């Protein structure tokens, strides 16, 4: 396997974030949701895609 420094850096950030929240998945998800709510960036949510009619 090839060592990728970018991937390793992302893994380090993920491990640090998990450790900050006691490696508790519920707390990690809550923190991410809070960060998303508090962000000034607009979020893309295109919603469900309509199904195309059959036979076309």
């Amino acid at each position: 396997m090839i060592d990728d420094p970018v991937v390793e850096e992302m893994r380090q950030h993920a491990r640090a974030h998990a450790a900050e929240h006691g490696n508790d998945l519920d707390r990690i998800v809550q923190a991410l949701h809070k960060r998303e709510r508090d962000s000034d960036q607009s979020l893309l949510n295109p919603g469900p895609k309509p199904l195309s009619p059959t036979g076309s």
Side-chain angles (χ1 to χ4, degrees), residues 17 21 27-37:
H17 186 259
H21 301 288
R27 288 175 52 198
I28 294 167
V29 171
Q30 286 176 358
L32 292 171
H33 282 228
K34 181 181 182 325
R35 183 176 180 179
E36 189 176 60
R37 279 192 310 272

Side-chain angles (χ1 to χ4, degrees), residues 11 23 29:
R11 288 178 178 155
N23 293 313
V29 171

Side-chain angles (χ1 to χ4, degrees), residues 1-5 7-8 11 15:
M1 179 158 61
I2 298 172
D3 291 329
D4 186 334
V7 172
E8 184 53 36
R11 288 178 178 155
R15 285 190 293 266

Side-chain angles (χ1 to χ4, degrees), residues 21-54:
H21 301 288
N23 293 313
D24 181 326
L25 186 56
D26 288 329
R27 288 175 52 198
I28 294 167
V29 171
Q30 286 176 358
L32 292 171
H33 282 228
K34 181 181 182 325
R35 183 176 180 179
E36 189 176 60
R37 279 192 310 272
D38 295 347
S39 173
D40 291 335
Q41 294 182 350
S42 62
L43 303 174
L44 175 63
N45 183 359
K49 295 180 180 177
L51 295 174
S52 60
T54 57

